[in-house]
């Protein structure tokens, strides 16, 4: 893929989907500026990927983070992966105002500030990729922060594709279904505790609802992400790609 010597900022990169994307980019010869809240975790993750990975400790919801990330990037940037941890579980009317505000900052406010700081560094051929969720197409029971706010993120990707297209910058999103990461394991454990069941039983049940009958691997997200960030996807913009083993049954 056309990624060699390009530089990407990857959010939420110490583990899970973000880490797999950073690893895939580095494997393809790119440089990755990896961001997560825990300095220790992101430094260890970057060290594992070698000299083309640079760690930056920062909380995407923190208004001070974009400047620190921009400093770590230097002059040249080719793409941005907007990704972090997931928002809190819960049903709409039970979620506190504080958790709603936190979820907004995590999914929309923080990403907007990050893009304001970094988009000026992108030139013709630049690419932005949002990691969203299957909730952009179909609500997930018990995850209403995501069900309400993620469709807004998908809309943000669309309006940015419109606004940045004339500068040659492409904007897309990928929507994971159930990818086997700490986040998903935590959600399965919470459900098992709530329902008084074994975690393995919850996982089997959950996987059985997916047409491919299994959870996805972070690397399966990363390969799609790398394609969308590369010049090989030069005419793909404004697209929302599901990577979900067929989980979302909505048409189209
Ligand atoms: N896994 C799935 O099946 C699935 C499904 C649908 C949607 N998603 C979404 O995809 C995204 C990635 O999920 P994942 O499963 O890879 O999650 P994960 O395993 O929990 O990993 C999250 C990563 O983001 C970092 N992070 C968390 N909060 C952050 C913040 N405020 N600022 C910067 N970095 C932050 C974490 O490191 P630190 O803790 O050090 O910050 C970690 O590196 C999430 O938004 C999630 O909701 C995932």
């Amino acid at each position: 893929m056309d990624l060699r010597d390009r530089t990407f900022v990857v959010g939420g990169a110490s583990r899970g989907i973000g880490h797999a994307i950073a690893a895939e980019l580095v494997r393809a010869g790119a440089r990755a500026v990896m961001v997560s809240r825990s300095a220790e975790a992101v430094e260890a993750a970057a060290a594992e990927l070698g000299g083309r990975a640079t760690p930056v400790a920062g909380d995407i919801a923190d208004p001070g983070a974009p400047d620190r990330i921009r400093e770590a990037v230097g002059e040249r940037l080719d793409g941005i992966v907007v990704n972090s941890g997931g928002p809190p579980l819960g049903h709409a009317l039970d979620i506190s105002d504080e958790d709603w505000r936190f979820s907004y900052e995590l999914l929309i406010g923080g990403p907007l500030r990050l893009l304001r700081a970094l988009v000026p560094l992108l030139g013709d051929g630049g690419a932005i990729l949002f990691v969203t969720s299957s909730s952009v197409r179909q609500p997930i029971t018990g995850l209403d922060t995501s069900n309400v706010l993620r469709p807004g993120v998908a809309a943000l990707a669309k309006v940015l594709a419109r606004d940045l297209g004339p500068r040659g910058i492409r904007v897309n999103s990928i929507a994971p279904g159930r990818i086997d990461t700490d986040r998903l394991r935590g959600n399965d454990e919470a459900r098992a505790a709530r329902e008084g069941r074994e975690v393995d039983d919850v996982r089997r049940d959950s996987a059985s609802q997916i047409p491919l009958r299994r959870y996805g691997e972070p690397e399966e997200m990363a390969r799609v992400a790398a394609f969308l960030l590369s010049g090989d996807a030069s005419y793909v913009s404004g697209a929302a790609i599901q990577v979900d083993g067929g989980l979302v049954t909505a048409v189209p």
Side-chain angles (χ1 to χ4, degrees):
M1 270 187 269
D2 177 17
L3 288 163
R4 185 156 292 279
D5 294 330
R6 298 190 173 215
T7 301
F8 296 89
V9 166
V10 183
S14 65
R15 56 177 193 272
I17 293 168
H19 181 264
I21 294 174
E24 186 69 26
L25 293 171
V26 166
R27 203 172 6 258
R31 284 180 290 272
V33 176
M34 300 166 66
V35 183
S36 92
R37 292 167 304 178
S38 158
E40 201 184 336
V42 78
E43 279 162 16
E48 194 190 299
L49 297 188
R52 288 201 300 270
T54 306
V56 182
D59 181 338
I60 199 168
D62 167 10
D67 284 346
R68 281 204 305 284
I69 297 168
R70 188 182 164 135
E71 267 171 40
V73 168
E75 291 307 305
R76 186 193 161 137
L77 185 65
D78 298 286
I80 305 159
V81 178
V82 181
N83 177 58
S84 66
L89 297 169
H91 289 263
L93 301 184
D94 302 330
I95 295 164
S96 67
D97 287 355
E98 193 188 340
D99 276 356
W100 277 114
R101 276 192 286 270
F102 168 79
S103 303
Y104 167 82
E105 287 299 332
L106 184 72
L107 298 179
I108 297 179
L112 278 171
R113 288 189 292 270
L114 182 70
L115 292 174
R116 253 187 234 122
L118 296 184
V119 164
L121 301 179
L122 294 178
D124 192 358
I128 297 170
L129 182 67
F130 287 85
V131 176
T132 61
S133 165
S134 60
S135 66
V136 300
R137 303 285 317 284
Q138 208 160 278
I140 301 166
T141 305
L143 192 46
D144 285 344
T145 49
S146 178
N147 297 332
V148 171
L149 293 168
R150 296 273 197 197
V153 178
L156 177 60
K158 271 285 184 199
V159 300
L160 291 175
R162 180 199 61 196
D163 289 354
L164 300 178
R167 290 168 49 189
I169 299 170
R170 299 178 300 104
V171 187
N172 294 295
S173 61
I174 43 174
R178 293 176 188 158
I179 307 297
D180 202 0
T181 65
D182 289 355
R183 160 84 174 166
L184 189 65
R185 280 174 227 128
N187 288 356
D188 283 348
E189 279 162 18
R191 185 173 154 202
R194 223 174 29 248
E195 297 176 2
R197 296 164 63 190
E198 295 295 325
V199 182
D200 283 350
D201 181 39
V202 166
R203 279 173 70 91
R204 256 194 312 277
D205 187 21
S206 177
S208 75
Q209 294 157 15
I210 302 168
L212 288 183
R213 296 288 189 273
R214 64 175 177 85
Y215 287 172
E217 295 299 326
E219 293 72 22
E220 293 179 292
M221 292 286 301
R223 287 194 290 271
V224 180
F227 166 69
L228 289 169
L229 291 165
S230 76
D232 292 356
S234 53
Y235 202 57
V236 183
S237 195
I241 309 289
Q242 289 154 221
V243 185
D244 67 358
L247 176 70
V248 169
T249 53
V251 178

